[in-house]
Amino acid sequence: MSDNQPSEPTVERPGPSDMSSKLVRDEARKAAVWLGMALAIVVMVLLAQPILLIIGGLVFAIILDGGTRLLGRVLPIGRGWRLAIVTLAGFGFIGWTFYFAGTTFAEQAGALRVVVTEQANKLLAHVDSAGLLPEGGLSNIGSQLLGGMGRLTSALSTAVGIVSSVILVLVIGIFIAIEPRLYDRGFAWMLPIGRRTSFYEISDHVGFVLRRLMFGRIIGMVVEGVGTWLMLLWGGVPMAALLGLLTGLLAFIPNIGAIVSGLLMVAVGFSAGTDAGLWAIMTYFVVQTVDGYLIVPYVAKRTVDLAPALVLAAQLLFGALFGFMGLLLADPIVAAVKTTLEDISKRKGGPRQASPPSGK
């Protein structure tokens, strides 16, 4: 090329340090989004248990907030006093229950373990005698059960960790319930100003749905627990009080809780005879029918309709990924996510229906 040939003018393009360029800012924003998503996934994997403890605290705060608002309809005093009454009443009831019936429940719990073990052995023996198990299947199942018991013993050895986790959930829930708007404003501060109003409205709607969902869940727990206790007591089934308590507590976990409580109920019933076993089966179906056809549809109509298959799939997935806490919190997490997505889709697709009043 000749030196006398005129050269083309050099076009200067923005470099990595030139953040005043719109092109660089757009590319940096895209890279930040992808990097943020990758970091969020890593954080969720590494900090799954602390995140679930925080979510558990939020659910407990919603329960306290719902009780505080409900008490405000009949007792016109300050929110702080109403929250203190609800909190003390809840802890007082739990303490009274364990103090009044602790010894009886402890004795029945030991007897329940023996009964369930004997009934499981009888069932496995019948299945083995019918030739439904492969050769050596009974011993293999026994070894697997022993291995499971070993893992259970190992898990129970971390009782200190479980107690500390429960305390953290309670403390987080109480602090959030004292002033929930403070945490709403703190989270909204990280959002663009133009989106904060939408965030507040969606947050209020999600809180409303979860308060109704938890209220319905507590009503279902009381109905299942008390109904199971009274019917088993009437039918002469042993350990009626303990089975009623376990049924009420397990009712907090939809689907899976009902299956576990039903198996325990039937095992104890047949340990006392065929009549008691049949009565336990009838009790289970009556209680679950009342809960499934009266309480659950009413709660779903007033809150968010969750398909049973969706809830069960979420429980299996969360339980496999995060353990017992994931199983316990799967239902409120799915309800919160579904409500949020529905609100966002309504905002993008057309006029949004008026949200229900938050109430005090």
Side-chain angles (χ1 to χ4, degrees):
M1 181 180 294
S2 174
D3 293 339
N4 296 328
Q5 184 177 357
S7 59
E8 297 180 359
T10 303
V11 179
E12 295 291 340
R13 299 183 182 276
S17 61
D18 191 3
M19 296 300 294
S20 61
S21 170
K22 183 178 183 302
L23 176 62
V24 174
R25 289 199 304 269
D26 291 342
E27 294 300 324
R29 191 177 295 112
K30 294 178 183 178
V33 170
W34 286 106
L35 182 61
M37 293 179 63
L39 289 177
I41 294 174
V42 172
V43 168
M44 289 187 65
V45 172
L46 296 179
L47 302 179
Q49 293 301 324
I51 291 174
L52 285 177
L53 290 179
I54 295 174
I55 295 176
L58 289 172
V59 173
F60 182 63
I62 288 171
I63 294 175
L64 293 179
D65 184 58
T68 302
R69 292 168 182 261
L70 186 62
L71 185 61
R73 297 183 179 183
V74 296
L75 193 61
I77 58 177
R79 173 183 170 83
W81 290 106
R82 286 184 277 130
L83 178 61
I85 292 173
V86 172
T87 305
L88 293 176
F91 284 113
F93 176 76
I94 295 174
W96 175 83
T97 301
F98 282 99
Y99 175 78
F100 181 77
T103 305
T104 303
F105 284 167
E107 295 175 354
Q108 291 185 359
L112 178 63
R113 179 180 60 83
V114 175
V115 168
V116 171
T117 302
E118 292 178 353
Q119 294 298 317
N121 291 333
K122 290 180 180 179
L123 178 61
L124 290 176
H126 283 300
V127 174
D128 187 43
S129 63
L132 299 178
L133 290 178
E135 186 177 355
L138 187 60
S139 60
N140 291 335
I141 293 177
S143 62
Q144 292 176 6
L145 291 176
L146 290 177
M149 289 300 295
R151 289 191 295 270
L152 178 60
T153 305
S154 175
L156 291 178
S157 63
T158 61
V160 176
I162 296 175
V163 172
S164 61
S165 298
V166 172
I167 293 175
L168 284 175
V169 169
L170 298 179
V171 171
I172 292 173
I174 291 173
F175 277 124
I176 294 177
I178 290 175
E179 196 172 358
R181 280 297 179 186
L182 175 65
Y183 301 94
D184 273 353
R185 291 194 299 268
F187 191 87
W189 176 78
M190 297 184 291
L191 300 175
I193 295 178
R195 298 188 178 183
R196 294 181 185 179
T197 301
S198 299
F199 167 77
Y200 286 130
E201 293 179 358
I202 294 176
S203 176
D204 286 343
H205 191 200
V206 171
F208 173 83
V209 169
L210 290 182
R211 284 195 300 272
R212 290 293 183 91
L213 181 67
M214 292 297 103
F215 178 74
R217 189 62 46 77
I218 292 175
I219 294 298
M221 293 171 64
V222 173
V223 170
E224 289 194 28
V226 175
T228 300
W229 169 53
L230 292 177
M231 289 195 66
L232 293 181
L233 189 64
W234 184 22
V237 179
M239 294 175 278
L242 178 61
L243 290 173
L245 177 64
L246 292 177
T247 301
L249 294 176
L250 291 172
F252 189 83
I253 310 175
N255 303 323
I256 296 178
I259 295 173
V260 174
S261 62
L263 292 175
L264 293 176
M265 198 184 307
V266 172
V268 173
F270 278 103
S271 69
T274 304
D275 293 339
L278 295 176
W279 182 266
I281 294 176
M282 187 188 71
T283 299
Y284 172 77
F285 281 107
V286 168
V287 171
Q288 294 302 320
T289 299
V290 171
D291 184 59
Y293 287 94
L294 294 180
I295 298 176
V296 172
Y298 178 77
V299 173
K301 182 180 178 181
R302 304 298 296 270
T303 56
V304 56
D305 192 7
L306 296 177
L310 175 63
V311 176
L312 182 59
Q315 289 173 340
L316 296 176
L317 180 62
F318 281 37
L321 292 176
F322 309 120
F324 179 73
M325 284 294 293
L327 176 65
L328 191 66
L329 299 174
D331 192 30
I333 291 175
V334 171
V337 171
K338 182 180 180 183
T339 303
T340 302
L341 294 178
E342 287 178 347
D343 281 5
I344 293 176
S345 65
K346 288 178 182 178
R347 290 176 177 276
K348 291 183 177 180
R352 182 176 180 271
Q353 297 178 354
S355 59
S358 58
K360 289 293 183 182

